[in-house]
Amino acid sequence: MKLFQCQNCGQPLYFENTRCERCGLSLGYLPERETISALKPDGAGRNPEQNVWWALADAKTYRYCANAAYSVCNWLIPAALPDAYCAACRHNRMIPDLSLPENLDRWRALEVAKHRLFYTLFQLRLPVETQAESPAGLAFEFLADAPSGSKAMTGHADGVITINLAEADDSERERRRHKMGEPYRTLLGHFRHEIGHYYWDRLIAGTPHLDEFRRIFGDERRDYAAALQNYYAQGALGEWSEHFISAYASAHPWEDFAETWAHYFHMIDTIEIAHFAGLAVSPKLPQSPGAVFDFHPRDTSMNRLVEAWLALSFAVNSINRSMGLHDLYPFVLGPLAVAKLTFVQQRIREVSPRKPEIQGGRGGGKSTVLAGVRSQ
């Protein structure tokens, strides 16, 4: 994630900000410019009710995504386009039932995580078509458990990523984290993991890379349902940390890939903010790792990325422990995990030689709850 600032007054901004706390101007995110822009009402004689704004970042006119009406999106669409939804929200196929008051706050939490996911997808130049644009396109459904007791399962199937709305409840998500013995469980982590399943289908399945995948991750033709059942019944093998990036990655090669993909996104996004913040880690211990973040993680080698990550994660974990908090990154990167991360990096670079054209879209979510079970 980059650092942002108000073009009007210089105030530092967060990715989710919609109003500058110093000068009071409205703010919006321009995905094609990868920046937050301060906004002023358009001076071209348009009716203000048309929601047209002049962006200080590039002196062009934009409209907010239609989902800004629910305070769940701050992304902008070029005013000349007829699209209702931004480059991230146009992938929504199902949103929660907004007649239930608690669902709006949970949807907002989901969209914060989803928009950060799309930030990294665009940074890495990955293909992000909607299902209306391509049979291989991407869609999201945010579902609640049915009153009858039927559970909405977080997962991926045929280009559709489903997130259970309960995951947006902090206490419920923490309960599930403890129940499953996980050191890390966040909404952003869910999105990054499930998008890994989606890109396995796009970048690995049926390609010449499948043999290499099987050599590194294992044979995905293993019975998936049986593998998960065995994992939840018996847990990971005792020596899992020597072979996998997380315990859950040991369940099946598909999960190994999705976990590795998610961790690559963790590293890219976190080291990018270290880069733009001008951080340097220089511990006063001769054997402790150090790093200067004078490079963009998207463009560097895996060896340099891992060296920087080890230094940064050790430093921030130590800071968290000083506050009595859990480690920010409670994992260890062994040689086999690094080889898997390298495989992920190589596949991404092969399909992302240039920045994609980013536009808005007309596809949006319906205020509907659908209960069901979707397998990964």
Side-chain angles (χ1 to χ4, degrees):
M1 184 62 66
K2 291 182 178 179
L3 291 179
F4 306 102
Q5 69 179 53
C6 175
Q7 293 85 6
N8 186 58
C9 69
Q11 171 76 5
L13 305 170
Y14 290 109
F15 182 60
E16 294 82 13
N17 284 158
T18 58
R19 179 180 180 275
C20 178
E21 296 301 322
R22 178 180 291 175
C23 69
L25 289 187
S26 295
L27 304 169
Y29 183 68
L30 300 174
E32 67 278 5
R33 296 185 63 88
E34 298 177 351
T35 192
I36 297 287
S37 180
L39 305 171
K40 291 185 177 180
D42 176 32
R46 294 184 177 88
N47 187 333
E49 293 181 358
Q50 291 181 328
N51 188 30
V52 177
W53 298 83
W54 185 67
L56 272 63
D58 63 3
K60 296 180 181 179
T61 54
Y62 295 89
R63 288 177 290 104
Y64 277 111
C65 172
N67 282 337
Y70 302 100
S71 299
V72 301
C73 179
N74 67 341
W75 286 30
L76 299 168
I77 306 165
L81 294 179
D83 308 315
Y85 295 94
C86 73
C89 290
R90 67 197 186 116
H91 293 81
N92 288 357
R93 195 166 83 172
M94 192 74 66
I95 66 169
D97 181 357
L98 300 184
S99 68
L100 302 176
E102 67 273 15
N103 281 357
L104 181 56
D105 286 341
R106 294 179 181 180
W107 184 33
R108 285 172 181 153
L110 288 167
E111 290 293 348
V112 165
K114 192 195 79 183
H115 281 69
R116 282 187 171 257
L117 170 71
F118 271 92
Y119 173 89
T120 309
L121 294 177
F122 294 148
Q123 274 280 312
L124 296 176
R125 322 304 191 218
L126 284 159
V128 288
E129 306 97 332
T130 65
Q131 293 199 331
E133 295 167 325
S134 168
L138 175 65
F140 292 87
E141 293 187 347
F142 304 135
L143 307 181
D145 294 336
S148 63
S150 176
K151 301 295 184 182
M153 301 298 292
T154 293
H156 166 264
D158 301 323
V160 180
I161 291 175
T162 301
I163 305 291
N164 188 323
L165 193 60
E167 292 288 348
D169 183 298
D170 291 341
S171 60
E172 174 59 21
R173 190 174 61 255
E174 181 66 7
R175 185 192 70 80
R176 296 184 183 196
R177 187 185 73 82
H178 276 285
K179 180 180 179 181
M180 296 184 178
E182 299 172 339
Y184 171 89
R185 189 182 183 94
T186 68
L187 278 177
L188 186 53
H190 280 315
F191 277 97
R192 288 171 172 169
H193 176 96
E194 298 305 336
I195 205 74
H197 286 296
Y198 170 73
Y199 281 108
W200 191 90
D201 285 349
R202 293 204 62 168
L203 306 184
I204 311 300
T207 74
H209 302 299
L210 190 54
D211 287 340
E212 184 182 4
F213 168 84
R214 288 171 179 165
R215 179 177 61 81
I216 297 173
F217 291 87
D219 193 336
E220 85 289 351
R221 291 170 293 188
R222 284 174 49 201
D223 189 302
Y224 180 68
L228 289 189
Q229 184 178 14
N230 182 69
Y231 173 80
Y232 287 121
Q234 301 184 22
L237 297 176
E239 68 276 10
W240 68 263
S241 60
E242 298 179 12
H243 304 277
F244 303 97
I245 206 164
S246 70
Y248 187 55
S250 69
H252 187 275
W254 282 339
E255 298 303 340
D256 194 4
F257 181 84
E259 284 287 272
T260 304
W261 182 283
H263 281 247
Y264 183 70
F265 272 44
H266 295 336
M267 296 166 68
I268 289 290
D269 201 43
T270 308
I271 292 180
E272 187 187 27
I273 192 66
H275 166 65
F276 281 103
L279 292 184
V281 178
S282 303
K284 295 182 179 180
L285 294 173
Q287 300 301 318
S288 297
V292 177
F293 299 91
D294 56 356
F295 60 92
H296 195 290
R298 182 190 60 218
D299 305 319
T300 196
S301 68
M302 180 53 63
N303 285 341
R304 191 177 189 190
L305 195 67
V306 170
E307 289 175 0
W309 184 245
L310 292 176
L312 182 61
S313 60
F314 179 81
V316 295
N317 284 350
S318 299
I319 291 171
N320 270 26
R321 293 184 185 198
S322 297
M323 288 292 293
L325 300 173
H326 297 297
D327 285 352
L328 184 72
Y329 188 74
F331 303 95
V332 176
L333 294 181
L336 291 179
V338 173
K340 294 171 183 179
L341 286 165
T342 302
F343 179 85
V344 167
Q345 182 187 61
Q346 291 170 343
R347 302 292 78 75
I348 289 173
R349 287 183 171 181
E350 287 175 355
V351 298
S352 53
R354 62 182 178 83
K355 182 178 177 181
E357 181 179 353
I358 303 170
Q359 301 199 9
R362 298 179 185 175
K366 304 175 184 177
S367 296
T368 307
V369 170
L370 175 66
V373 177
R374 293 180 179 272
S375 61
Q376 294 174 312

